[in-house]
Amino acid sequence: MLQAATHNSDLPTLDSDFDVELRKVFKVFNGETAVRGVEFNIRRGEFFSILGPSGCGKTTTLRLVAGFETPSAGEVLIRGKSMTHVPPHRRPANTVFQNYALFDHMTVWNNIAFGLRIKRLGRSEVQQRVDEVLQLVKMETFANRYPKQLSGGQRQRVALARALVNRPAVLLLDEPLGALDLKLRKQMQVELSNLHQNLGLTFVMVTHDQEEALSLSDRIAVMKDGKIEQVGTPNEIYERPRTPFVADFIGDTNLFEGHLESTDGSSLLVRTHSGLKIVVSRTPEWSDRTHQTIVSVRPEKIHLHCAPPETSHNTFEGRLKHAMYLGTHVHCVVELVSGEMLTVRQATHLETLPEDGSPLYLSWSPSDCIALAARST
Amino acid sequence: MPSTRLSFSGGHSTRRQFLKASAAAASGLALSSCGWTLANVRTNVRTASDVLYIYTWAGYTDRELIDQFYKETQIRVIADVFSSNEEMLAKVQAGAGGAYSVIYPSDYMVRRQIDLNMLMELDKSRLPGLDRLFPKFRDPSYDRDNRYSVPLSWGTTGLIYNRKALNPPPTDWQYLWDYQQQLTKRLTLLNDQREVFGAVLRSLGYSYNSTNPDEIRAAYEKLVRLKPAIAAFNSDAWRTQILTGDLKIAMCYSSDANEITPENTDLAYVHPESGSSIWTDALVIPRTAPNIEGAYAWLEFMLRPEVAARICERLSFATPNATAFELLPREVQTNTTLFPPESAIEKSESLEPIPPDVGEIYNRYWTKLTSG
Amino acid sequence: MSVSPPPFSSTSDLTPDATKPRWGTRWLGPLVLLGPAGLWLLLLLVLPTLVIFQLSLVPNIRPGDIVNPSGIDNYLLVFNPTNFRVIVRSLGLAVGTTLLCLGLGFPVAYWIAVLAPKRWRNLLLLGFILPLWTSSLLRTYAWITILRPTGVLNSILSTIGLPTLEILNRTPAVLVGMSYSFLPYMVLILYSSLEKLDRALLEASADLGATPPQTFWKITVPQALPGIAAGSLLVFITSLGDFIDPELLGGASSMTVARLIYNQFLGQTQNWGFGSALSVVLIFAVSLSIALLLKYGDSSATQR
């Protein structure tokens, strides 16, 4: 965990450990519920991401924090203070907008100084803070340019600087890297991460890019249809998804629908609809009341064998449909005898790739798969 | 500097020469070595002989008149209207008047058009009705012996006022100054610099057509004193305003006054004692007339006593036709708005063309007056 | 991160001649596209303007006189006190009308473009420009009916016990009439400019601590500046040329440049040379204001 907020905020520190708290927040637009009872707490100095497919309500959630939307029900708190009646211009949060929303009639310098001038800070202080933040985002030489004269990455930096110069309690980032090309995005991810570490500021980022969320965040909230599916560290989200949606949305996975056949202290036996029997290690989250279940196995956890392996659990016979060589690994599609198609990711230690159509054996450890309660959603 | 002169005099100007003039304009600008003129272009528009285009004032013809003429001659009359003599002249000079076979200029404009050689000398043998005019209209000052024009109507300029609003009633122009306080913003004058200046000149005892700069300045200074009381200079808009009571008094033409006094019996027209202008609207045939036969037919028709009397009644302007006058009902004959007594007209003059440099003086004072 | 600006492309300079279209064909396209409008402009705008300019150099010219440019007397006449006062008065009226239209039009355009529900926008705009479908003369007469001493306005005022107003035949009536005539143009132009306003900029401004009024002055207005400039210019120029409204509503002191020019051509003493000189001065003044506006009016517009 990162250190607590040590940055020089203009705000008095309050008692709450959390910089942002959402309590059963709902937002309804013209009869359409965009956000349904979202609840989470963001710790001081945390890099928190809200991840989900488009239309899941993640941006609305961020806008509720920024104050551009008011909750239909529930409450948003920043630093322990209710924000219900606080308009955006008085909230201790600043936003980096999706398309940067730079003021194109002002120079970079004036864009950044905007917030400070509104606060009527002294001339020298404005100068000093703007210069400081320009240096922070390495844009010193562009101070007198207009936004239209900058590249996408440069505009991104200006947008960051414009928000950071105000030393907010919370920095809100709405798909900050969405408009950049892949290479630039990777580069900016590193810079964002460094910035976060150096400033110790609370970052709340909205993204649909799971890789971005996994690599940058301390914790991630996965949203779907206006609800939070799971909040957890990247590792938890990936390794121990709570719902089939999270398992499927984060990374690749193979899902088997089935029902619980038997259980003992440490493992569960699941029979899939096609008749396979899968042994799954029991996790603390497992509820014995669950009957209908979905088993998730990550492609990289599956082992391929040319001959029947010695392990007894979770060994299945199939045939290679298709193999794709991808340098660091081989991506295989295997059709089981029972009919399921599985994707398997195999490190490229095989000297020769098996030919398409050749028989194969698959196996995985019970601790490498996870059984999730099947929900109607 | 060699100059080519394209004149509107004579009938030799054609479309082709207009193009030449345009070319001359362009080359004149390029070379600055040859001048050109503001020529009015004669366009000989060919129209069928059964159609007659006339260019007249609003309210000078009506359906009945045109229908009757059509019944008798099978010529269809199409009337376009202008709102001032100057507008008519400019349009005709600019070459847009080629379709008209009969035009209705006022006295001074007849003179001007004669001077500009725009009018056709009339063949009196074809206009037997001319000798039915009152003697003074047979030899008007603007067109001696009616060589180019046939008088159609006449009238005076005076004041229309609301009897209930003004006590004592006005009798002369001077009334406006004497009772200025009562009249503040309840008074309009004609939007015509010659008429307005003429009235003031007359009230000072000078001629309506003064060309003496000192007299004109005196008139201007007198007008400036009246200015705060003047609501507006307009020649038309006063009608509704005086009917609704927004105005107490307005300078107007007798024919207009005669038209609206029946609508409100409180309204009365007075011909100022110190004199005013007498105007005559005439019929002329331009040299460019495409339908000369039709034009003569129209003139002859309009000179007929029965027709003249009917339009005098219907369109409410005074007829210069003595025989027609006899045909009028008694109450029209004694209508002093239309036919002021000879004694009242004695001191009145008709507007005469004035030299351009004097016009310039009037113009300057008018601009000064109306720019506040 | 070092972002180097892309080097200026010099490929066109290096293109071998063989690939260039031949001279004739290269000019054919623009000629065909611009020819008709160009000819139109030449015949109906450039040529007449040149004629007017030449006329303006002939003192005391009247129809029938030889056009023989001989001096700038007409221009000296333009700047004599009487005429100059008319020009200044007209400019004042035009500026007043422009400011009124801006003041009245901006809130309306802002409301329609930013605040009103999207599905109502077209209808609202339509409603606003509906008056344009009637003749301008008719609208002016309607104002006379409203403003005259015993008119609609004063009837209402006296009914509710307020003192009546003498507006007709005074300058305020002219401003009312003219701004009513030109308001729809201003609203249309401002609307099209405000409609393009990125709402995210307003949110960004609020996010950075600006109150709504601060956001309005620091973001909305600068962003709408090209529209404000275009709308103001249009209203200014049209009201400078308007003489119907001053004539019918302005009372005894209704002389404007447009009317003065009219008088020189259609008035009792014709002086086409002086009229032309007045026109040239007016054309020059308007062109100059457009040029200044383009150059300095909106420096950021050049960045767009």
Side-chain angles (χ1 to χ4, degrees):
Chain A
M1 202 62 246
L2 279 153
Q3 75 273 36
T6 53
H7 66 282
N8 179 11
S9 171
D10 294 333
L11 294 145
T13 30
L14 291 153
D15 296 334
S16 174
D17 282 341
F18 300 115
D19 263 353
V20 179
E21 295 163 67
L22 265 69
R23 295 183 183 160
K24 286 249 177 268
V25 170
F26 285 81
K27 179 65 193 177
V28 182
F29 293 109
N30 302 324
E32 298 250 343
T33 312
V35 173
R36 306 161 186 258
V38 165
E39 262 187 309
F40 55 71
N41 298 328
I42 301 171
R43 295 185 201 102
R44 190 148 309 155
E46 196 171 21
F47 196 132
F48 189 89
S49 293
I50 305 173
L51 177 65
S54 58
C56 71
K58 56 188 190 299
T59 293
T60 307
T61 306
L62 193 81
R63 291 169 61 80
L64 285 162
V65 178
F68 303 136
E69 311 289 354
T70 45
S72 308
E75 201 178 10
V76 175
L77 292 89
I78 297 179
R79 294 238 161 136
K81 256 172 75 177
S82 169
M83 290 289 126
T84 309
H85 299 292
V86 182
H89 65 269
R90 283 201 261 119
R91 294 195 184 195
N94 286 113
T95 308
V96 175
F97 289 85
Q98 186 165 12
N99 293 311
Y100 318 132
L102 296 179
F103 307 133
D104 52 14
H105 60 284
M106 297 180 190
T107 60
V108 165
W109 201 93
N110 285 327
N111 261 281
I112 298 172
F114 186 85
L116 302 179
R117 286 181 171 163
I118 291 287
K119 291 195 193 81
R120 300 183 187 284
L121 295 189
R123 199 179 252 271
S124 58
E125 193 181 353
V126 172
Q127 182 76 49
Q128 186 213 326
R129 276 169 70 168
V130 172
D131 288 350
E132 208 176 275
V133 79
L134 272 170
Q135 209 175 353
L136 190 71
V137 298
K138 305 186 194 94
M139 289 289 289
E140 305 97 309
T141 51
F142 296 92
N144 293 321
R145 297 270 189 102
Y146 282 89
K148 286 280 144 97
Q149 298 168 302
L150 301 179
S151 69
Q154 290 168 331
R155 273 182 246 169
Q156 169 66 68
R157 287 152 192 274
V158 176
L160 262 171
R162 189 178 66 174
L164 288 171
V165 78
N166 300 290
R167 297 176 184 165
V170 185
L171 183 72
L172 307 173
L173 302 114
D174 186 3
E175 301 267 8
L177 310 177
L180 304 180
D181 62 49
L182 185 67
K183 201 173 161 204
L184 207 52
R185 196 154 66 220
K186 297 279 181 211
Q187 202 173 350
M188 284 303 294
Q189 281 177 11
V190 175
E191 294 200 22
L192 262 185
S193 182
N194 289 341
L195 215 52
H196 176 247
Q197 301 218 339
N198 295 337
L199 297 171
L201 204 62
T202 307
F203 279 33
V204 183
M205 179 174 81
V206 158
T207 181
H208 67 271
D209 182 337
Q210 40 146 323
E211 202 181 320
E212 192 170 290
L214 290 174
S215 61
L216 291 174
S217 319
D218 296 323
R219 283 195 304 150
I220 299 171
V222 181
M223 280 187 80
K224 183 197 173 201
D225 295 335
K227 285 187 219 155
I228 299 273
E229 291 272 314
Q230 185 174 359
V231 179
T233 62
N235 188 278
E236 282 168 357
I237 296 277
Y238 190 80
E239 298 290 347
R240 304 238 302 278
R242 295 269 192 80
T243 67
F245 173 78
V246 175
D248 196 30
F249 187 70
I250 310 290
D252 296 327
T253 195
N254 298 294
L255 298 175
F256 300 90
E257 286 184 49
H259 61 271
L260 189 68
E261 195 147 278
S262 65
T263 173
D264 61 25
S266 62
S267 60
L268 315 164
L269 180 63
V270 175
R271 178 188 278 272
T272 69
H273 295 336
S274 57
L276 300 178
K277 285 184 180 171
I278 303 174
V279 181
V280 185
S281 293
R282 198 182 171 119
T283 53
E285 290 87 11
W286 178 256
S287 157
D288 281 330
R289 278 173 300 171
T290 312
H291 184 67
Q292 293 297 322
T293 182
I294 292 177
V295 177
S296 160
V297 192
R298 297 284 183 195
E300 70 273 17
K301 310 276 180 167
I302 301 174
H303 302 283
L304 289 180
H305 315 270
C306 295
E310 284 158 27
T311 47
S312 52
H313 292 312
N314 302 343
T315 301
F316 305 101
E317 195 184 343
R319 156 186 311 274
L320 183 66
K321 287 288 283 186
H322 182 62
M324 221 190 308
Y325 180 74
L326 292 169
T328 55
H329 61 268
V330 183
H331 185 90
C332 304
V333 179
V334 178
E335 184 177 12
L336 294 188
V337 175
S338 54
E340 283 103 335
M341 293 285 201
L342 296 191
T343 59
V344 181
R345 191 176 299 161
Q346 194 73 30
T348 46
H349 60 259
L350 293 174
E351 261 139 49
T352 52
L353 284 169
E355 275 176 34
D356 287 1
S358 53
L360 282 172
Y361 296 90
L362 297 82
S363 71
W364 64 84
S365 150
S367 60
D368 280 343
C369 57
I370 190 161
L372 305 163
R375 276 191 297 191
S376 54
T377 49
Chain B
M1 191 178 286
S3 300
T4 52
R5 186 181 164 99
L6 272 176
S7 166
F8 39 74
S9 59
H12 58 269
S13 234
T14 61
R15 251 179 224 287
R16 184 179 291 274
Q17 273 168 320
F18 173 66
L19 291 178
K20 259 192 215 162
S22 306
S27 62
L29 287 162
L31 304 169
S32 179
S33 63
C34 56
W36 50 288
T37 73
L38 296 173
N40 71 308
V41 177
R42 286 201 39 178
T43 44
N44 284 311
V45 179
R46 297 243 57 89
T47 56
S49 60
D50 59 350
V51 179
L52 180 70
Y53 284 90
I54 64 173
Y55 199 24
T56 178
W57 301 87
Y60 264 39
T61 50
D62 64 5
R63 195 73 259 158
E64 192 185 320
L65 190 68
I66 287 170
D67 286 347
Q68 193 189 344
F69 184 67
Y70 180 74
K71 221 183 287 167
E72 291 184 16
T73 63
Q74 303 303 304
I75 296 174
R76 214 149 43 82
V77 172
I78 295 169
D80 284 346
V81 297
F82 53 85
S83 60
S84 77
N85 282 301
E86 287 71 25
E87 182 193 325
M88 180 274 289
L89 180 67
K91 194 168 167 187
V92 171
Q93 278 183 326
Y100 305 119
S101 296
V102 179
I103 303 179
Y104 286 51
S106 303
D107 36 36
Y108 71 98
M109 188 53 69
V110 172
R111 178 76 251 154
R112 188 123 168 231
Q113 288 191 294
I114 293 168
D115 291 344
L116 292 170
N117 201 8
M118 297 170 93
L119 303 183
M120 184 178 284
E121 195 166 346
L122 300 177
D123 178 358
K124 298 224 182 122
S125 64
R126 304 177 69 169
L127 300 168
L130 269 176
D131 52 12
R132 297 192 199 108
L133 299 179
F134 283 114
K136 63 178 174 187
F137 290 106
R138 283 188 218 154
D139 186 28
S141 61
Y142 59 83
D143 176 25
R144 290 287 168 206
D145 205 24
N146 288 335
R147 282 177 63 199
Y148 297 93
S149 66
V150 175
L152 172 75
S153 70
W154 66 281
T156 58
T157 304
L159 294 166
I160 186 169
Y161 65 99
N162 190 317
R163 271 188 282 222
K164 287 209 172 131
L166 295 185
N167 185 35
T171 54
D172 188 34
W173 301 116
Q174 188 56 37
Y175 182 89
L176 304 179
W177 281 265
D178 295 345
Y179 293 88
Q180 187 171 343
Q181 296 310 318
Q182 279 184 42
L183 300 176
T184 301
K185 297 291 175 191
R186 295 290 180 268
L187 151 71
T188 63
L189 300 181
L190 288 173
N191 188 12
D192 185 312
Q193 60 192 60
R194 287 293 309 283
E195 288 280 3
V196 170
F197 271 96
V200 183
L201 283 163
R202 205 62 231 185
S203 78
L204 289 164
Y206 304 133
S207 162
Y208 224 84
N209 297 305
S210 173
T211 54
N212 180 336
D214 292 334
E215 292 176 6
I216 301 169
R217 196 187 58 234
Y220 166 71
E221 280 161 4
K222 191 170 179 182
L223 262 175
V224 168
R225 275 188 279 128
L226 186 64
K227 179 81 192 301
I230 305 170
F233 294 98
N234 67 50
S235 305
D236 264 321
W238 59 267
R239 294 170 185 236
T240 43
Q241 292 174 38
I242 204 160
L243 281 170
T244 55
D246 288 338
L247 292 177
K248 290 177 179 169
I249 190 165
M251 180 182 180
C252 70
Y253 299 118
S254 56
S255 55
D256 290 337
N258 191 54
E259 205 177 310
I260 73 157
T261 37
E263 292 180 43
N264 182 344
T265 48
D266 292 336
L267 298 180
Y269 176 81
V270 61
H271 186 84
E273 278 170 358
S274 58
S276 172
S277 74
I278 293 191
W279 46 264
T280 310
D281 288 338
L283 301 168
V284 300
I285 304 177
R287 284 172 165 271
T288 52
N291 186 357
I292 293 166
E293 295 307 313
Y296 274 108
W298 181 255
L299 262 53
E300 191 274 327
F301 179 70
M302 296 299 278
L303 276 169
R304 261 187 245 166
E306 319 78 66
V307 174
R310 290 286 294 128
I311 59 174
C312 173
E313 272 184 272
R314 263 204 332 273
L315 305 174
S316 80
F317 45 71
T319 180
N321 194 316
T323 321
F325 182 80
E326 296 308 324
L327 295 174
L328 290 172
R330 180 111 193 97
E331 72 268 17
V332 177
Q333 285 177 340
T334 55
N335 179 340
T336 52
T337 303
L338 277 188
F339 301 103
E342 202 58 41
S343 59
I345 309 177
E346 244 168 38
K347 288 182 187 159
S348 300
E349 306 162 66
S350 58
L351 283 175
E352 308 276 349
I354 45 169
D357 53 326
V358 179
E360 228 24 271
I361 297 174
Y362 277 106
N363 212 11
R364 206 170 58 237
Y365 282 131
W366 181 254
T367 304
K368 232 167 152 172
L369 186 72
T370 51
S371 60
Chain C
M1 178 172 59
S2 69
V3 175
S4 57
F8 282 112
S9 163
S10 54
T11 47
S12 62
D13 298 341
L14 300 174
T15 311
D17 278 346
T19 64
K20 274 189 185 171
R22 288 210 337 273
W23 191 89
T25 43
R26 197 168 45 152
W27 284 97
L28 203 62
L31 204 68
V32 167
L33 293 175
L34 301 178
L39 196 70
W40 190 262
L41 278 179
L42 185 76
L43 282 179
L44 298 177
L45 188 75
V46 178
L47 219 58
T49 309
L50 291 175
V51 168
I52 286 173
F53 179 66
Q54 200 187 10
L55 277 179
S56 75
L57 295 171
V58 193
N60 283 322
I61 190 169
R62 281 179 181 73
D65 293 349
I66 296 165
V67 177
N68 202 344
S70 60
I72 57 162
D73 300 34
N74 287 322
Y75 288 93
L76 298 180
L77 203 58
V78 169
F79 292 103
N80 90 0
T82 307
N83 297 324
F84 192 67
R85 202 174 52 188
V86 174
I87 293 175
V88 170
R89 220 185 101 82
S90 304
L91 289 173
L93 278 177
V95 168
T97 305
T98 308
L99 292 178
L100 265 173
C101 282
L102 196 59
L104 294 171
F106 202 99
V108 174
Y110 183 82
W111 182 70
I112 297 178
V114 180
L115 303 177
K118 232 183 180 110
R119 60 180 187 281
W120 289 99
R121 279 183 198 166
N122 284 336
L123 210 63
L124 286 167
L125 269 186
L126 191 73
F128 216 82
I129 59 173
L130 213 59
L132 281 185
W133 293 2
T134 61
S135 135
S136 64
L137 206 60
L138 211 64
R139 279 178 274 152
T140 308
Y141 272 105
W143 276 113
I144 293 180
T145 313
I146 294 168
L147 298 177
R148 63 191 177 76
T150 58
V152 178
L153 177 69
N154 281 340
S155 305
I156 293 171
L157 285 176
S158 57
T159 310
I160 58 173
L162 290 171
T164 58
L165 293 168
E166 279 275 343
I167 293 180
L168 190 65
N169 294 327
R170 289 180 161 87
T171 308
V174 181
L175 289 175
V176 166
M178 291 215 287
S179 39
Y180 177 74
S181 296
F182 305 133
L183 190 57
Y185 299 108
M186 182 66 104
V187 169
L188 274 184
I189 292 178
L190 286 179
Y191 169 81
S192 70
S193 163
L194 285 169
E195 193 209 7
K196 282 180 275 180
L197 181 69
D198 185 357
R199 309 282 192 92
L201 296 184
L202 306 184
E203 290 183 346
S205 171
D207 188 75
L208 294 167
T211 59
Q214 283 173 322
T215 300
F216 179 79
W217 289 111
K218 287 175 193 277
I219 307 299
T220 311
V221 170
Q223 288 286 326
L225 215 54
I228 293 173
S232 301
L233 206 64
L234 184 76
V235 170
F236 177 77
I237 292 170
T238 4
S239 43
L240 203 57
D242 184 20
F243 67 83
I244 302 273
D245 285 295
E247 183 107 348
L248 293 179
L249 300 168
S253 301
S254 59
M255 187 61 81
T256 58
V257 191
R259 178 71 205 190
L260 199 56
I261 292 173
Y262 175 95
N263 281 356
Q264 305 313 314
F265 289 92
L266 296 173
Q268 275 161 329
T269 33
Q270 294 179 329
N271 190 340
W272 290 20
F274 175 50
S276 299
L278 272 173
S279 305
V280 169
V281 168
L282 213 59
I283 292 170
F284 186 74
V286 167
S287 311
L288 194 72
S289 59
I290 294 175
L292 285 176
L293 211 88
L294 286 180
K295 193 156 167 53
Y296 301 108
D298 182 21
S299 57
S300 66
T302 56
Q303 312 294 341
R304 286 174 195 177

